[in-house]
């Protein structure tokens, strides 16, 4: 689950913040990003020009001049420029991970959106469309996201990429409906948002827990590792992922031989001599189980799953929240031209691209694709195209990604990683479907409880 | 080839007359050399198209993909994506003899019909690098869309076409001034394009869109979209990539990637005439100069398929290296 449920977790001030990341041209943006990262390493490249130091202003001027000289001929092709602002809404969430290398960067997610804005603008340079990102963070005690959505609307954003928890997302969706805005959910994997709590103004770019669990289960069943020891955490999100894994086991014929709960008793995730205790704790947690093939860990809260590999009582592989992990992206993914995106991202942001970054990239590219195909910046035209039968987007997954009309979930293959490399991509061969094999992942149309309104 | 063999015999100091006649009889006219880039095994396989066997494997740098022969057949160029260069292979010595400054991550390139200029797409840089083949130096750089890949040049060498995958456009570039003169939005993830030899049409494949666009290159407009349906093959597996058009423009062969087929499209009506079952994940191909065969590279089955162009039949599969990607065949 790495990254799927985890959002932007930087501690912010108590007031909501509403910044703007305006990119009139993709290449200009790239130059600006690069200069920003060089001049101010580690700083978020989403700053407005007025915040710049005078000497950096001179650099911008230089870059802008270089850009004008180089691209003037191409720009002159554009007749009337259509401006499209995309909102980005996040909330402060605690920053937790078991592994030091998984700690999310301050710009986790938004960096992906910025890269897509850059890509959209490179295309826009040729067809007269300009994209900008308006970024806002909800204050921790803000009960109504409406005021922040108003701020985004003032900047012209009718589509808002949302990295929010399920509860906040539902509040934001109600507020968005009144403002005729559409949310693109990139951070909440909760199945209920696609099912009983679905909304006509929320498009789900992030895969659901059900899709992730199904993608993993298909591979394990194909591998004939179908006896699972299910170890789940004590937090609500852990329990929801365990539910999804149980459902996948029923669906694809795997067997959960025993279930155990790993209770979070609190405390720090990192202590100076912690490994000595963990080395004794994990074998005990997996001792005395009936015969099984794989430990299935449901631990979105990052409490124990990362400690399981190589420490189980029996020598068994680990899957789920650690070991073999289902996700929408990993920095190691290199199939179907993905290396190009990975290197563009690394070049712009000097770090690895996470699943949340990829969800945000895909969301912003979906808007870019709708704008390019309809040659419009009218939100109602773009909204209809996104929800219509002609929409598809390419996202380095080997096939077109389309939207499930019945619950507005983006259809997508699920990638499986071992932490270093791509292990497989689901759906697996042999799992068939009358319409598209992608619908073997997650709730399918005949079983959906969603009534869009 | 006949002339070449006779020449070589003379050069070798062996008498003409009867002897050369005997050798000619042993080597039928259609013996050409095909060079196949093997993306995974970092090599180029050399295939004798008459005997239909691999006669040599030439080690290259990392990740060879785009491959093409010089107009005189003396050299074969192969783009090495992970080495950021284009290697030059001597077709007589059958070894790497030099390289070209391709820019970063070269995948596909095209040589102008007059043989003087090579244009290579730099996927990571949203740019095309222009290389003068005589001096082997870069003489220009053109900014295009995100992830440029497919490259084509009009038969009169005047217009360069670059298709960019994420931008989903064909960029029409004036070859003399290096300026982008028009941009045409195409169905999702265009991979490749090719001109009819009379310049009247440009055919462009869209891998994710799953279609072939027939483009009027003068008007910069799509005039027809060809889609593919194969019974028993899922729609999302139909991912058109390579395009090969016969010189008379009567037939087009479209490689359909993981659909494991090459579609034969009527050059005039644009109807799909036939689907030819080849190996798995077919990428790109090339005709023998006499257009007797089309040789296509099958990315997952590590072989090339020989398609008999007159009979529209696959006649032979020949083992090459791992994950073959592109094919170049010497003009003589």
């Amino acid at each position: 689950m790495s990254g799927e449920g985890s959002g932007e977790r930087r501690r912010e001030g108590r007031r909501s913040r509403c910044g703007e990341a305006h990119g009139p041209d993709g290449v200009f943006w790239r130059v600006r990003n690069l200069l920003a990262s060089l001049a101010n390493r580690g700083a978020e490249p989403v700053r407005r020009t007025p915040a710049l130091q005078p000497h950096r202003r001179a650099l911008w001027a230089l870059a802008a001049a270089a850009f004008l000289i180089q691209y003037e001929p191409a720009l002159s092709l554009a007749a009337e420029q259509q401006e499209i602002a995309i909102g980005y809404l996040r909330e402060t969430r605690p920053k937790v991970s078991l592994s030091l290398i998984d700690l999310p960067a301050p710009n986790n997610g938004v960096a992906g959106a910025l890269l897509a804005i850059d890509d959209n603008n490179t295309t826009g340079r040729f067809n007269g469309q300009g994209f900008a990102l308006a970024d806002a963070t909800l204050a921790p005690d803000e009960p109504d996201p409406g005021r922040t959505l108003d701020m985004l609307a003032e900047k012209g954003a009718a589509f808002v990429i949302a990295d929010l928890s399920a509860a906040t997302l539902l509040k934001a969706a109600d507020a968005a409906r009144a403002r005729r805005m559409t949310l693109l959910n990139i951070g909440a994997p909760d199945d209920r948002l696609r099912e009983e709590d679905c909304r006509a103004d929320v498009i789900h770019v992030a895969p659901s827990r059900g899709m992730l669990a199904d993608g993993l289960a298909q591979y394990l069943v194909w591998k004939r590792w179908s006896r699972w020891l299910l170890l789940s955490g004590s937090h609500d999100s852990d329990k929801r992922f365990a539910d999804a894994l149980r459902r996948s086991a029923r669906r694809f014929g795997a067997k959960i031989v025993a279930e155990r709960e790993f209770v979070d008793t609190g405390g720090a995730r990192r202590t100076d001599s912690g490994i000595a205790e963990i080395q004794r704790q994990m074998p005990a947690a997996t001792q005395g189980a009936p015969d099984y093939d794989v430990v299935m860990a449901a631990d979105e809260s990052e409490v124990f799953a990362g400690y399981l590999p190589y420490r189980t009582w029996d020598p068994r592989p680990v899957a789920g929240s650690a070991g073999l992990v289902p996700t929408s992206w990993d920095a190691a993914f290199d199939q179907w031209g993905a290396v190009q995106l990975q290197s563009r991202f690394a070049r712009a942001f000097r770090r690895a691209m996470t699943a949340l970054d990829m969800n945000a990239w895909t969301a912003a590219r979906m808007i870019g694709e709708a704008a390019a195909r309809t040659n419009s910046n009218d939100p109602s035209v773009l909204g209809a195209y996104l929800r219509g039968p002609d929409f598809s987007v390419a996202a380095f997954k080997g096939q077109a990604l389309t939207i499930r009309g019945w619950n507005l979930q983006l259809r997508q293959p699920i990638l499986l990683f071992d932490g270093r490399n791509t292990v497989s991509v689901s759906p697996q061969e042999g799992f068939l479907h009358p319409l598209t094999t992608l619908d073997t992942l997650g709730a399918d149309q005949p079983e959906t409880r969603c009534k869009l309104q | 080839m006949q002339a070449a063999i006779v020449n070589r015999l003379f050069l070798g100091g062996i008498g003409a007359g009867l002897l050369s006649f005997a050798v000619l009889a042993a080597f039928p006219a259609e013996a050409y050399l095909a060079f196949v880039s093997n993306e995974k095994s970092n090599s180029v396989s050399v295939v004798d198209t008459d005997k239909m066997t691999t006669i040599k494997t030439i080690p290259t740098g990392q990740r060879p993909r785009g491959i093409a022969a010089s107009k005189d057949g003396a050299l074969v160029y192969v783009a090495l994506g992970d080495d950021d260069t284009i290697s030059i292979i001597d077709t007589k010595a059958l070894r790497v003899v030099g390289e070209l400054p391709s820019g970063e991550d070269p995948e596909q390139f095209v040589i102008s019909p007059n043989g003087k200029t090579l244009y290579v797409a730099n996927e990571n840089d949203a740019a095309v690098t222009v290389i003068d083949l005589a001096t082997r130096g870069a003489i220009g750089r053109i900014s295009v869309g995100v992830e440029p890949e497919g490259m084509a040049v009009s038969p009169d060498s005047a217009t360069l076409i670059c298709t960019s995958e994420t931008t989903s456009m064909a960029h029409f570039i004036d070859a003399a001034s290096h300026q982008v003169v028009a941009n045409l939005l195409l169905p999702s993830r265009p991979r490749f394009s090719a001109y009819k030899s009379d310049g009247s049409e440009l055919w462009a494949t869209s891998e994710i869109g799953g279609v072939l666009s027939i483009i009027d290159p003068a008007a910069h407009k799509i005039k027809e979209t060809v889609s593919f349906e194969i019974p028993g093959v899922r729609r999302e597996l139909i991912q058109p990539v390579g395009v090969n058009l016969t010189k008379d423009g009567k037939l087009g062969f479209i490689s359909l990637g993981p659909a494991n087929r090459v579609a034969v499209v009527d050059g005039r009506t644009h109807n799909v005439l036939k689907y030819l079952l080849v190996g798995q994940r077919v990428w790109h191909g090339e005709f023998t100069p006499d257009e007797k065969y089309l040789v296509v590279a099958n990315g997952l089955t590590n072989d090339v398929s020989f398609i008999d162009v007159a009979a529209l039949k696959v006649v032979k599969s020949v083992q090459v290296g791992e994950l073959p990607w592109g094919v170049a065949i010497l003009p003589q």
Side-chain angles (χ1 to χ4, degrees):
Chain A
M1 294 298 294
S2 70
E4 292 305 334
S6 63
E8 168 53 43
R9 288 159 167 165
R10 187 163 45 123
R11 299 254 174 234
E12 290 282 349
R14 295 178 62 80
R15 295 192 52 198
S16 22
R17 200 168 54 87
C18 206
E20 186 183 4
H22 189 88
D25 176 274
V27 178
F28 176 48
W29 245 102
R30 193 171 301 149
V31 171
R32 201 170 130 173
N33 285 342
L34 273 178
L35 286 176
S37 56
L38 289 175
N40 190 7
R41 195 168 297 175
E44 192 184 345
V46 194
R47 294 292 173 221
R48 305 187 67 174
T49 326
L52 298 171
Q53 308 289 326
H55 69 276
R56 263 198 279 155
R57 277 192 200 191
L59 278 178
W60 295 141
L62 214 72
F67 143 73
L68 281 174
I69 291 161
Q70 197 176 356
Y71 296 108
E72 197 272 328
L75 277 176
S76 63
L77 295 171
E80 284 170 43
Q81 181 85 354
Q82 294 174 341
E83 297 298 337
I84 296 137
I86 301 174
Y88 192 97
L89 183 61
R90 41 183 163 164
E91 64 186 330
T92 49
R93 294 200 241 178
K95 183 167 128 178
V96 291
S97 80
L98 285 186
S99 168
L100 200 53
I101 56 176
D102 290 337
L103 280 173
N107 62 355
N108 188 25
V110 76
L114 284 170
L115 187 66
I117 292 283
D118 187 348
D119 289 348
N120 288 348
N121 278 330
T122 306
T123 304
R125 189 154 58 82
F126 298 113
N127 57 4
Q129 294 182 326
F131 296 81
L133 195 73
D135 178 16
T137 305
L138 290 173
D141 54 357
E142 197 170 323
D144 175 17
R147 200 169 54 85
T148 309
L149 281 176
D150 282 338
M151 278 163 55
L152 293 174
E154 270 170 37
K155 293 178 186 300
F159 295 90
V160 178
I161 300 169
D163 173 22
L164 303 171
S165 66
T168 315
L169 186 82
L170 284 176
K171 276 191 230 165
D174 292 339
R177 185 209 306 257
R179 291 163 177 80
R180 303 177 68 84
M181 295 165 94
T182 299
L183 303 183
L184 293 104
N185 168 26
I186 62 161
D190 304 69
D191 286 274
R192 72 178 171 107
L193 297 173
R194 287 92 170 151
E195 292 296 304
E196 57 270 26
D197 290 332
C198 70
R199 299 282 191 278
D201 61 344
V202 183
I203 294 170
H204 303 279
V205 180
S208 66
R209 289 194 180 97
M211 294 164 72
L212 294 164
D214 284 349
L216 177 60
Q218 285 189 5
Y219 175 78
L220 294 176
V221 168
W222 176 84
K223 198 80 190 65
R224 296 179 191 271
W225 291 347
S226 47
R227 296 173 305 166
W228 305 344
L229 170 62
L230 179 60
L231 211 56
S232 48
S234 53
H235 295 277
D236 187 60
S237 60
D238 309 332
K239 290 176 177 170
R240 297 291 81 77
F241 188 38
D243 288 344
L245 290 168
R246 284 186 206 98
R247 178 184 155 280
S248 297
R250 281 197 302 278
R251 206 164 143 108
F252 299 116
K255 187 172 162 55
I256 293 171
V257 298
E259 288 196 27
R260 290 173 186 184
E261 189 180 42
F262 193 101
V263 179
D264 183 6
T265 52
R269 283 177 176 75
R270 231 170 307 289
T271 52
D272 248 4
S273 49
I275 59 160
E277 189 191 40
I278 294 157
Q279 188 172 332
R280 288 177 173 79
Q281 230 174 10
M282 293 301 132
T286 50
Q287 188 178 0
D291 264 4
Y292 68 94
D293 300 313
V294 182
V295 182
M296 274 292 207
D299 176 35
E300 287 185 17
S301 316
E302 295 266 327
V303 172
F304 67 95
Y307 295 145
L308 284 169
Y310 301 102
R311 299 177 187 89
T312 51
W313 182 265
D314 300 298
R316 295 287 180 271
V318 177
S321 300
L324 186 65
V325 175
T327 180
S328 57
W329 197 250
D330 187 279
F333 190 58
D334 59 358
Q335 303 292 294
W336 298 304
V339 177
Q340 296 155 32
L341 182 64
Q342 304 276 23
S343 55
R344 273 211 302 287
F345 187 93
R347 190 150 44 155
F349 299 103
R350 303 265 189 268
R351 64 170 177 83
M353 189 174 186
T354 66
L356 192 68
D357 292 321
M358 184 54 180
N359 293 347
W361 184 88
T362 308
R365 276 289 303 125
M366 286 164 70
I367 307 295
E369 190 68 13
R373 297 288 165 197
T374 58
N375 191 27
S376 171
N377 61 351
D378 179 341
S380 60
V381 172
L382 302 187
Y385 183 80
L386 279 170
R387 292 169 174 85
D390 296 330
F391 173 78
S392 77
V393 66
F396 307 93
K397 307 280 172 78
Q399 58 180 294
L401 309 187
T402 56
I403 288 180
R404 291 175 180 154
W406 66 86
N407 67 356
L408 302 183
Q409 167 71 52
L410 186 70
R411 287 187 181 93
Q412 57 197 295
I414 296 299
L415 317 180
L416 302 175
F417 291 93
D418 64 4
R420 300 295 298 173
N421 287 297
T422 313
V423 173
S424 188
V425 179
S426 288
Q428 297 295 319
E429 227 172 279
F431 292 90
L432 302 177
H433 191 279
L435 297 176
T436 161
T437 54
L438 288 179
D439 284 349
T440 63
L441 304 171
D444 197 3
Q445 189 163 19
E447 59 190 331
T448 188
R449 295 187 299 282
C450 170
K451 289 188 179 66
L452 285 176
Q453 52 190 342
Chain B
M1 196 68 197
Q2 287 183 12
I5 288 168
V6 173
N7 257 336
R8 267 182 233 169
L9 289 170
F10 274 122
L11 287 171
I14 303 166
L18 257 174
L19 185 53
S20 68
F21 181 78
V23 173
L24 280 175
F27 289 85
E30 304 88 351
Y32 303 108
L33 289 184
F35 290 72
V36 182
S37 57
N38 302 307
E39 183 183 0
K40 171 91 176 168
S41 46
N42 292 341
S43 65
V44 166
S45 299
V46 184
V47 177
D48 180 318
T49 66
D50 174 48
K51 293 190 180 123
M52 295 189 183
T53 53
T54 300
I55 57 167
K56 189 171 167 86
T57 302
I58 305 168
T60 64
Q62 296 185 78
R63 207 170 181 201
R65 285 182 287 176
I67 189 164
S70 63
K71 292 300 154 190
D72 61 4
L75 303 170
V76 160
Y77 302 100
V78 59
L80 305 175
D82 284 357
D83 283 351
D84 300 335
T85 188
I86 293 177
S87 265
I88 305 169
I89 293 171
D90 182 311
T91 59
K92 292 211 169 46
L94 297 184
R95 61 183 174 82
V96 174
V97 293
E99 58 182 38
L100 295 176
S102 65
E104 216 183 313
D105 191 20
E107 181 167 339
Q108 286 193 16
F109 60 85
V110 66
I111 297 169
S112 59
N114 61 24
K116 289 180 181 163
T117 317
L118 184 148
Y119 302 94
V120 55
N122 301 122
E123 286 204 88
N124 275 343
D125 279 356
V128 170
T129 300
V130 186
I131 296 169
D132 178 61
L133 285 176
T135 63
R136 296 185 179 177
I139 54 168
R141 200 170 151 78
I142 306 161
S143 282
V144 291
V146 184
E147 291 162 35
E149 182 173 310
M151 304 290 300
V153 185
S154 61
D156 60 4
S157 295
T159 306
L160 170 68
I161 307 292
C162 169
T163 51
S164 47
E165 295 173 352
T166 289
T167 295
S168 287
M169 278 183 179
H171 308 285
F172 292 76
I173 300 163
D174 182 77
S177 68
H178 296 174
Q179 296 297 328
V180 176
V181 293
N183 302 285
L184 175 63
L185 194 65
L186 293 173
S188 195
R189 216 169 164 77
R191 275 309 279 261
F192 192 77
S193 70
Y195 272 95
K196 266 191 179 174
S197 63
D198 64 1
S200 64
E201 288 177 356
L202 177 74
W203 291 24
T205 50
S206 288
E207 186 181 29
I208 295 293
V211 295
L212 167 73
S213 302
I214 311 286
I215 297 164
D216 177 344
H220 310 130
K221 282 202 165 66
I222 298 176
K223 59 180 199 181
E224 203 170 331
T225 302
V226 180
S227 47
F228 306 94
E229 276 175 42
I230 308 167
V233 175
R234 284 186 281 120
R235 194 165 46 98
E236 59 264 30
L237 291 181
I238 296 175
Q239 301 183 356
V241 196
V243 180
N244 294 94
L245 284 150
T246 55
K247 283 187 214 105
D248 60 12
K250 285 186 178 158
L251 291 176
F253 293 80
I254 315 299
S255 300
L256 299 180
N260 308 337
R261 282 163 180 80
V262 171
V264 185
V265 177
D266 187 301
R268 194 176 48 83
T269 65
H270 305 135
N271 292 330
V272 180
L273 303 173
K274 201 169 176 183
Y275 294 100
L276 305 168
L277 185 65
V278 290
Q280 287 178 28
R281 181 132 212 185
V282 53
W283 283 112
H284 293 282
E286 182 74 282
F287 291 110
T288 53
D290 57 5
E291 290 191 346
K292 183 167 167 39
Y293 298 116
L294 173 68
V295 182
V296 294
N298 303 314
L300 283 181
T301 35
N302 303 340
D303 56 8
V304 292
S305 296
F306 277 71
I307 295 168
D308 183 320
V309 174
L312 295 184
K313 280 201 168 99
V314 179
V315 290
K316 175 97 174 170
S317 295
V318 177
Q319 182 96 19
V320 289
E322 269 184 276
L323 308 197
W325 196 92
V327 182
I329 299 184
L330 299 190
Q332 54 185 333

